[in-house]
Amino acid sequence: MRFDLALLSLLAIVTHDIVGAVTVQISATPSHSIPSTLSYIHIVTFWQSGDGGLYAELLQNRAFQQVTPGSSSALTGWQSLNGGLISVIRETVPVSSALPNALHLSIPSGRQGSVGFANTGYFGIKVTAGTTYQTSFFYRFPASSSFSGTLTVGLQTTSGQVLATSRVTISGSQTSWKQVTTTLTPSTSSSSTANLFTIALDGSAAAGQNVNFALLSLFPPTFKNRPNGMRIDVAQALMEAGPSFWRFPGGNNLEGQTVASRWQWNNSVGPLLDRPGRAGDWGYINTDGLGLLEYLNWCEDLNMQPIMAVWAGFALGGTSVAENQLGPFIQEAIDQINFVIGDPAQSAPAALRASLGHPEPFALTYVEIGNEDFFASSSYTYRWHDFVTALKNEFPQLHFIATTNTFNPILSPNPTEYDVHVYQTPTWFAQNSFFYDGFQRNGTKYFEGEYAAISTNPNDIFGTPADGRLVFPTMQSASGEAAFMTGLERNSDIVFAASYAPLLNHVTNSQWTPNLVSFDSGAVYRSTSYYVQKLFSLNRGDQYLPSTLPSRTGTLFWSVVRKTSTNEIIIKVSNTVSTAASLTFALPSSFSTVATSGIVQVLTGAATASNTPTAPNTIVPVTSSISTGKTFNYNAPGFSVSVITLVAH
């Protein structure tokens, strides 16, 4: 069996006929249990989604990681304040071996008032009255001086309105690094996010002084008050959708453009001083403040299973590590897994985890070997073999997921799970609701690891908005995805998990559209696709009930599940065209009692309608009551996703 996207795309048939009445006969006998991981999980793909997004740090380029001292790009996020002379330098006495660069501030003569520097944040900083912001930085004088004075840390608008200040005393005799920590609590909220974090000295008192700064930080309150934690509103949006697990460290961002720039777990744990950061794969620096331990704590905070990837010998620039040179990278993967689940008494990485406050192992079942290795399938045969053979020997209880096309190439040992990625049109997703029905039931399971309707143009899926590429999910794309998801639910005997991708996107600095959840420095925007994922996630069953199948080439799709703990029958319906469709649901006579009413949650709107930053609530689910019984009717609006819930014994 071969996964051939080009062939399957030929099955996409555009159908706009009027949808006639359909009768759906529902069975009382389940065909299979539904995995608890289906159908909504999360993937982090870094479109400014970790740094500047889920990770709550507010300062951009806080530690001058992986930049060239003296270059203008080294000052990304930073600017002079009232004539302060600033540059990024290679420190002669670095604050740590991982962070060799620092910000050098010179106070020129003849300046009055506050002189220093400011950070613009990740395209703005939200400032809210009464909120306490934690701030810290390291400073030192490169040459001893007699200066002693007050340094003012603050938040202000770009027009100069002061929102919060804190004053600390610094000494010119401080030639070794000293950390300063303080708090900022604004008494006034800013009406916009055009705000600055500032550090300044009195210009006249400090004239001629030179001060170096390193690892500056500004944190708002975090989700569940985790130190170095997550941004509350983004985390809250994800929590509300009921995720069941989390895939990390994030798609292509795992691989790096070169072997040297790959994601390395050991560079992402421990004190921030020891994290060098890395050049990410989407054009900006990853701080790795959101590291392996933060991901794992996040999984625990939301009760999600982790799906963790290990680097598997391939970099996006095209380098495949030769087989006889894989040994150190296999050991790196072993150490990474031991950090997560190892015994601190037997493993140094596990002992490190314990020293960082988590002596007990984390839960871990699934480990991905690489990411999208259909880009380097010829070398994946030996890379998969050598990694999995070694990892199975060390961790026989774990499941290892292959990331090539299914059964192409043939891998040894035979994968028990594959990660399948599909980006296509709304129509393709609707017409491929039966995508997995023909897969062999041979013990292999599938993780629909990335999928999304991203364009209306089947001939140029990855083109521009002018070519049909979606900027935000639409009602048409969301209903197409929902049709596909009914097929995932029907085939959940072999599809153990699925996740829309990408998950997060900063609208001010976007490299990819569309995304499930968008945000800027001030707010979060839930898409139509987000609400579809939430509807499926919060209305899961544990048993799949067979029913009359939809037409493979039709426009109306459904699935039926049972939630045994509550005796609920949950019916999901997707109508992928503008014409309303009438359905009659017939429950089996073996049910002795069927409620005469239930609830229906409906997401519907015009085909091209989207939730956007200027109109974030254009399309949201609406809940109402519905008359039910052993037989009942339902009229599915055009371009809609509906979830009907009723009790039946």
Side-chain angles (χ1 to χ4, degrees):
M1 179 181 59
R2 178 184 176 191
F3 171 73
D4 192 329
L5 186 59
L7 176 62
L8 286 170
S9 67
L10 296 177
L11 298 176
I13 301 173
V14 180
T15 304
H16 294 291
D17 295 337
I18 296 174
V19 180
V22 174
T23 298
V24 180
Q25 298 284 343
I26 299 172
S27 171
T29 304
S31 61
H32 60 268
S33 298
I34 298 174
S36 61
T37 46
L38 197 74
S39 61
Y40 186 69
I41 66 174
H42 289 109
I43 171 174
V44 170
T45 313
F46 279 76
W47 319 105
Q48 206 78 59
S49 61
D51 293 316
L54 180 59
Y55 183 48
E57 172 65 72
L58 294 173
L59 301 186
Q60 185 176 185
N61 191 21
R62 68 181 178 187
F64 317 103
Q65 295 160 289
Q66 306 296 322
V67 301
T68 302
S71 66
S72 58
S73 60
L75 283 169
T76 296
W78 299 94
Q79 62 186 44
S80 171
L81 185 67
N82 195 23
L85 303 177
I86 59 172
S87 62
V88 175
I89 62 168
R90 185 85 169 186
E91 251 287 6
T92 56
V93 184
V95 69
S96 71
S97 59
L99 302 177
N101 299 327
L103 184 70
H104 180 71
L105 169 67
S106 292
I107 307 295
S109 299
R111 306 299 298 186
Q112 302 296 316
S114 295
V115 178
F117 56 86
N119 190 280
T120 59
Y122 287 94
F123 319 105
I125 298 174
K126 183 178 182 179
V127 178
T128 305
T131 297
T132 298
Y133 298 80
Q134 305 289 333
T135 186
S136 64
F137 57 88
F138 290 83
Y139 85 94
R140 82 176 191 95
F141 282 72
S144 182
S145 82
S146 60
F147 176 80
S148 179
T150 299
L151 184 149
T152 301
V153 184
L155 290 166
Q156 67 176 52
T157 66
T158 52
S159 62
Q161 178 189 358
V162 174
L163 302 169
T165 58
S166 178
R167 291 175 173 82
V168 296
T169 300
I170 63 172
S171 171
S173 63
Q174 186 69 47
T175 56
S176 60
W177 288 104
K178 180 178 181 179
Q179 186 176 28
V180 172
T181 60
T182 188
T183 60
L184 296 168
T185 306
S187 57
T188 303
S189 295
S190 177
S191 59
S192 79
T193 59
N195 304 307
L196 302 172
F197 168 79
T198 62
I199 289 182
L201 293 163
D202 180 86
S204 57
Q209 298 298 317
N210 296 284
V211 193
N212 293 348
F213 295 85
L215 187 54
L216 303 98
S217 179
L218 177 68
F219 263 88
T222 60
F223 185 71
K224 294 198 173 183
N225 296 313
R226 285 274 190 188
N228 196 48
M230 307 302 187
R231 176 174 153 175
I232 290 176
D233 57 350
V234 176
Q236 184 71 31
L238 302 184
M239 182 181 70
E240 287 172 5
S244 56
F245 63 92
W246 182 267
R247 176 182 169 222
F248 64 88
N252 294 132
N253 203 54
L254 168 74
E255 292 152 305
Q257 293 296 326
T258 65
V259 173
S261 64
R262 72 192 184 280
W263 183 82
Q264 298 179 62
W265 75 270
N266 52 304
N267 284 339
S268 76
V269 298
L272 297 180
L273 280 172
D274 297 334
R275 305 189 195 187
R278 55 183 287 264
D281 294 330
W282 305 113
Y284 61 93
I285 303 303
N286 292 175
T287 69
D288 281 338
L290 178 54
L292 179 54
L293 185 60
E294 286 77 22
Y295 284 127
L296 294 166
N297 286 333
W298 167 242
C299 287
E300 286 197 336
D301 285 346
L302 267 67
N303 194 31
M304 301 181 292
Q305 289 189 48
I307 289 185
M308 182 177 73
V310 296
W311 193 78
F314 173 71
L316 289 176
T319 300
S320 289
V321 175
E323 186 169 16
N324 63 3
Q325 296 175 16
L326 285 176
F329 304 108
I330 293 172
Q331 185 60 52
E332 187 176 282
I334 291 171
D335 290 344
Q336 179 181 334
I337 296 171
N338 266 322
F339 180 88
V340 180
I341 63 173
D343 181 351
Q346 303 293 325
S347 161
L352 174 59
R353 180 195 72 233
S355 74
L356 296 174
H358 204 288
E360 295 301 315
F362 288 93
L364 183 67
T365 300
Y366 297 103
V367 174
E368 281 202 318
I369 307 303
N371 172 73
E372 292 188 344
D373 276 283
F374 46 77
F375 286 121
S377 58
S378 60
S379 68
Y380 196 62
T381 52
Y382 70 77
R383 292 187 290 111
W384 166 268
H385 175 272
D386 291 5
F387 269 85
V388 171
T389 299
L391 294 177
K392 276 184 174 290
N393 184 59
E394 292 281 338
F395 311 103
Q397 76 278 25
L398 296 181
H399 290 248
F400 298 99
I401 304 173
T403 64
T404 54
N405 291 331
T406 55
F407 302 100
N408 180 28
I410 299 299
L411 300 174
S412 175
N414 185 52
T416 53
E417 288 89 12
Y418 277 96
D419 181 358
V420 179
H421 295 182
V422 181
Y423 294 98
Q424 262 292 348
T425 65
T427 301
W428 186 96
F429 279 104
Q431 297 305 319
N432 282 277
S433 172
F434 286 79
F435 186 92
Y436 283 101
D437 289 65
F439 277 42
Q440 297 176 30
R441 268 58 180 172
N442 58 6
T444 308
K445 305 288 186 179
Y446 302 92
F447 169 30
E448 187 63 46
E450 297 184 23
Y451 71 94
I454 65 171
S455 175
T456 58
N457 184 351
N459 298 313
D460 193 6
I461 297 299
F462 298 103
T464 67
D467 302 317
R469 184 70 175 260
L470 301 178
V471 178
F472 296 97
T474 64
M475 195 59 236
Q476 181 187 28
S477 69
S479 62
E481 291 155 2
F484 185 71
M485 292 166 71
T486 63
L488 298 180
E489 201 163 60
R490 182 173 61 254
N491 288 282
S492 57
D493 58 323
I494 60 170
V495 180
F496 71 93
S499 58
Y500 184 105
L503 172 63
L504 295 169
N505 172 60
H506 197 305
V507 294
T508 310
N509 188 42
S510 177
Q511 289 84 36
W512 178 283
T513 63
N515 301 267
L516 197 69
V517 176
S518 294
F519 58 88
D520 53 31
S521 56
V524 174
Y525 312 107
R526 296 159 172 83
S527 70
T528 54
S529 292
Y530 167 88
Y531 286 116
V532 167
Q533 297 288 336
K534 183 177 178 180
L535 284 169
F536 272 68
S537 177
L538 299 187
N539 294 282
R540 305 183 206 189
D542 48 72
Q543 295 178 338
Y544 182 79
L545 299 183
S547 64
T548 306
L549 288 177
S551 168
R552 288 175 180 260
T553 58
T555 57
L556 187 65
F557 304 88
W558 59 84
S559 64
V560 185
V561 300
R562 174 193 285 143
K563 188 174 182 180
T564 55
S565 62
T566 57
N567 293 313
E568 288 177 314
I569 305 298
I570 303 170
I571 304 170
K572 302 179 181 77
V573 180
S574 174
N575 186 358
T576 62
V577 293
S578 60
T579 307
S582 177
L583 298 97
T584 298
F585 293 102
L587 275 66
S589 59
S590 57
F591 285 126
S592 59
T593 305
V594 177
T596 58
S597 66
I599 62 169
V600 59
Q601 303 169 77
V602 183
L603 187 77
T604 187
T608 59
S610 296
N611 294 335
T612 68
T614 55
N617 298 311
T618 299
I619 299 179
V620 297
V622 175
T623 301
S624 60
S625 60
I626 182 174
S627 296
T628 59
K630 286 194 174 181
T631 300
F632 66 94
N633 300 321
Y634 178 65
N635 195 49
F639 289 115
S640 68
V641 179
S642 306
V643 178
I644 302 167
T645 304
L646 66 150
V647 174
H649 299 269

